[in-house]
């Protein structure tokens, strides 16, 4: 009796856990929030039902034949060879079924690839491991990086609701407008994927692929890089915020003004010097956001993969080479060029930090003017 009760309780617990997991991870694909995503879902279900019908028919005939033509009933197998009718039948039926599948699939694919008459165009550039968004119709561009705290990744804090699916600066688009995406890459192959839009487009170095969406309702929609692009592939999320047209216009105008003001402030910094404390504080923030994934928070790097900065000859001795590699990267390696990703003061600060953290203690203080001078060479 106790054994039976235990088995019943175990079964009930399993069913409850399965139902909870199924609610969090649905077995079917999502329907999405756009007209195209609904077309994709409808196509998926249509093909699914056709496959189910084929399976039922094939297995139905097979099991009926097994049961009614078994040896125990004394049935003698028919003897025939090279039946033209049978060969025509099993050739014609798959062709008809494939045509039935191809017509709606082709219509949906054509609709997905039609990027004409777009209201707004966004250039999306993937790089390890972040996205760069540039609004081609406005003077606005920025990088979007993972915002999940490193403590959560290292299991020092409990995981948040949108663990590994949150960014510091999401892509913002207007509702009710056709948005065209131009997708490319700076380094390796990435893939910009937002399931709710039914958009998954590869970002290939040297090529530009196109996609589009039209979102009718405001909201936050999440995705991620769907290509194995390197060691931190799982840390490259996509977040899109759809705003009403009036809210979007206000946001884009404010963003353009903010970025213009930042450029003016950057020029003023050329005549100013930051203190060591200011440089180290800003440098640590930039390092943890852009460099720690490869070179590690302690500056030790990953042996054989990413070089250590702690005690390295470049970080201790060769200041011009240090500035140059942060500005321009290194061809053929994972070291990116940060010239366009960071401001002059941020580059100056992170170089200063790397030359004075982890007992490097060179005493070198790099200022924004030094970075501007290196850029002009």
């Amino acid at each position: 009796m106790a054994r039976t009760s235990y088995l019943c309780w175990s079964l009930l617990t399993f069913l409850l856990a399965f139902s909870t997991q199924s609610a969090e991870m649905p077995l079917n694909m999502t329907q999405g929030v756009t007209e195209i995503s609904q077309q994709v879902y409808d196509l998926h279900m249509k093909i699914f039902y056709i496959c189910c019908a084929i399976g039922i028919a094939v297995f139905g005939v097979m099991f009926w034949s097994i049961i009614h033509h078994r040896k125990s009933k004394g049935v003698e197998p028919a003897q025939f060879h090279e039946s033209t009718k049978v060969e025509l039948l099993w050739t014609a039926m798959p062709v008809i079924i494939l045509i039935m599948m191809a017509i709606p699939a082709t219509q949906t694919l054509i609709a997905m690839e039609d990027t004409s008459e777009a209201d707004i165009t966004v250039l999306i550039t993937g790089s390890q491991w972040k996205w760069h968004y540039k609004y081609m119709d406005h003077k606005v561009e920025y990088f979007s990086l993972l915002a999940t705290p490193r403590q959560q990744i290292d299991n020092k804090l409990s995981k948040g609701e949108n663990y590994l699916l949150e960014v510091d600066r999401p892509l913002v688009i207007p509702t009710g407008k056709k948005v065209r995406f131009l997708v490319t890459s700076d380094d390796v192959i990435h893939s910009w994927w937002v399931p709710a839009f039914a958009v998954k487009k590869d970002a290939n170095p040297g090529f530009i692929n196109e996609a589009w969406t039209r979102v009718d309702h405001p909201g936050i929609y999440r995705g991620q890089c769907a290509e194995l692009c390197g060691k931190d592939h799982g840390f490259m999320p996509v977040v899109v915020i759809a705003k009403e047209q009036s809210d979007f216009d206000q946001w884009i105008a404010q963003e353009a003004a903010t970025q213009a003001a930042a450029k003016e402030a950057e020029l003023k910094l050329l005549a100013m010097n930051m203190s060591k404390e200011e440089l180290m504080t800003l440098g640590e923030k930039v390092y943890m956001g852009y460099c720690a994934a490869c070179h590690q928070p302690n500056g030790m790097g990953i042996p054989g993969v990413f070089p250590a900065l702690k005690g390295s000859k470049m970080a201790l001795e060769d200041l011009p080479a240090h500035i140059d590699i942060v500005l321009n990267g290194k061809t053929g390696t994972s070291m990116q060029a940060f010239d366009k990703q960071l401001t002059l003061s941020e580059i100056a600060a992170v170089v200063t930090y790397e030359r004075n953290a982890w007992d490097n203690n060179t005493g070198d203080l790099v200022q924004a003017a030094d970075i501007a001078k290196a850029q002009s060479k």
Side-chain angles (χ1 to χ4, degrees):
M1 183 68 177
R3 181 183 178 88
T4 304
S5 300
Y6 175 78
L7 290 174
C8 291
W9 176 253
S10 300
L11 179 61
L12 178 61
T13 303
F14 171 77
L15 291 174
L16 288 173
F18 180 78
S19 63
T20 302
Q21 187 177 19
S22 297
E24 296 176 354
M25 300 178 62
L27 298 178
N28 203 359
M29 70 181 296
T30 57
Q31 290 186 248
V33 296
T34 65
E35 182 182 350
I36 284 293
S37 65
Q38 186 61 53
Q39 288 185 35
V40 171
Y41 179 81
D42 292 340
L43 174 64
H44 160 74
M45 295 308 299
K46 188 177 296 182
I47 302 302
F48 173 73
Y49 291 137
I50 290 176
C51 292
C52 288
I54 294 172
I56 292 171
V58 170
F59 283 98
V61 171
M62 184 179 71
F63 286 122
W64 182 86
S65 300
I66 292 173
I67 294 171
H68 291 277
H69 298 87
R70 62 187 185 272
K71 184 178 180 180
S72 61
K73 293 185 68 173
V75 176
E76 293 291 333
Q79 300 293 329
F80 62 90
H81 186 62
E82 294 182 358
S83 172
T84 303
K85 291 182 179 180
V86 172
E87 290 185 1
L88 287 175
L89 185 63
W90 72 39
T91 301
M93 289 182 64
V95 169
I96 294 172
I97 293 171
L98 287 174
I99 292 174
M100 291 172 58
M101 293 180 172
I103 292 174
T106 302
Q107 292 173 341
T108 301
L109 286 172
I110 291 174
M112 292 175 69
E113 298 297 327
D114 182 14
T115 60
S116 61
E117 300 180 0
D119 298 300
I120 184 172
T121 299
V122 179
L123 174 63
I124 301 173
T125 305
S127 59
Q128 296 176 310
W129 289 270
K130 61 186 76 69
W131 299 102
H132 179 264
Y133 300 122
K134 182 177 181 180
Y135 293 79
M136 307 302 288
D137 310 287
H138 306 276
K139 293 182 179 180
V140 173
E141 58 180 296
Y142 53 87
F143 284 88
S144 178
L145 287 81
L146 175 73
T148 297
R150 193 75 202 181
Q151 292 90 334
Q152 291 186 16
I153 298 173
D154 295 336
N155 293 319
K156 295 179 180 178
L157 287 177
S158 58
K159 304 294 191 281
E161 180 182 357
N162 296 306
Y163 176 68
L164 296 185
L165 291 176
E166 48 200 347
V167 298
D168 57 348
R169 305 192 68 185
L171 175 66
V172 180
I173 61 174
T175 57
K177 298 293 184 179
K178 186 171 184 177
V179 182
R180 180 175 64 149
F181 302 122
L182 304 177
V183 186
T184 187
S185 170
D186 274 342
D187 40 41
V188 299
I189 299 176
H190 302 280
S191 188
W192 197 81
W193 176 47
V194 181
F197 299 167
V199 172
K200 179 180 177 293
K201 189 62 64 172
D202 284 349
N204 299 315
F207 294 88
I208 294 180
N209 292 323
E210 292 184 286
W212 70 276
T213 192
R214 181 185 287 111
V215 184
D216 295 324
H217 304 287
I220 300 176
Y221 307 101
R222 303 180 188 276
Q224 56 193 144
C225 177
E227 188 69 40
L228 293 174
C229 57
K231 63 175 282 290
D232 281 345
H233 156 70
F235 302 157
M236 196 171 171
V238 176
V239 180
V240 181
I241 297 180
K243 294 178 176 283
E244 296 284 359
Q245 184 66 55
S246 58
D247 294 333
F248 174 79
D249 292 338
Q250 182 179 356
W251 175 85
I252 200 76
Q254 181 179 356
E255 195 67 26
T258 301
Q259 292 191 19
K263 290 181 180 179
E264 291 182 7
E266 190 71 8
L267 294 176
K268 294 179 181 179
L269 283 174
L270 298 180
M272 299 173 59
N273 287 332
M274 299 173 68
S275 67
K276 182 177 180 180
E277 182 179 353
E278 291 173 328
L279 287 167
M280 291 296 287
T281 300
L282 177 59
E284 182 178 15
K285 180 182 178 182
V286 174
Y287 181 85
M288 297 304 294
Y290 289 83
C291 313
C294 296
H295 297 291
Q296 302 302 297
N298 59 8
M300 294 301 295
I302 299 176
V305 183
F306 300 110
L309 296 177
K310 179 179 179 180
S312 71
K313 183 176 180 180
M314 182 186 67
L316 293 176
E317 300 176 11
D318 199 343
L319 178 57
H322 196 166
I323 294 175
D324 179 73
I325 199 170
V326 175
L327 275 174
N328 304 311
K330 186 175 181 180
T331 304
T333 71
S334 296
M335 182 59 190
Q336 305 169 39
F338 288 95
D339 187 12
K340 295 182 180 179
Q341 299 187 42
L342 301 174
T343 64
L344 297 177
S345 57
E346 287 174 333
I347 294 175
V350 76
V351 173
T352 298
Y353 177 77
E354 291 172 355
R355 299 184 72 80
N356 291 279
W358 322 299
D359 298 324
N360 281 352
N361 299 329
T362 63
D364 294 332
L365 301 184
V366 183
Q367 302 294 342
D370 300 321
I371 306 302
K373 183 178 180 180
Q375 283 179 327
S376 63
K377 291 182 178 180

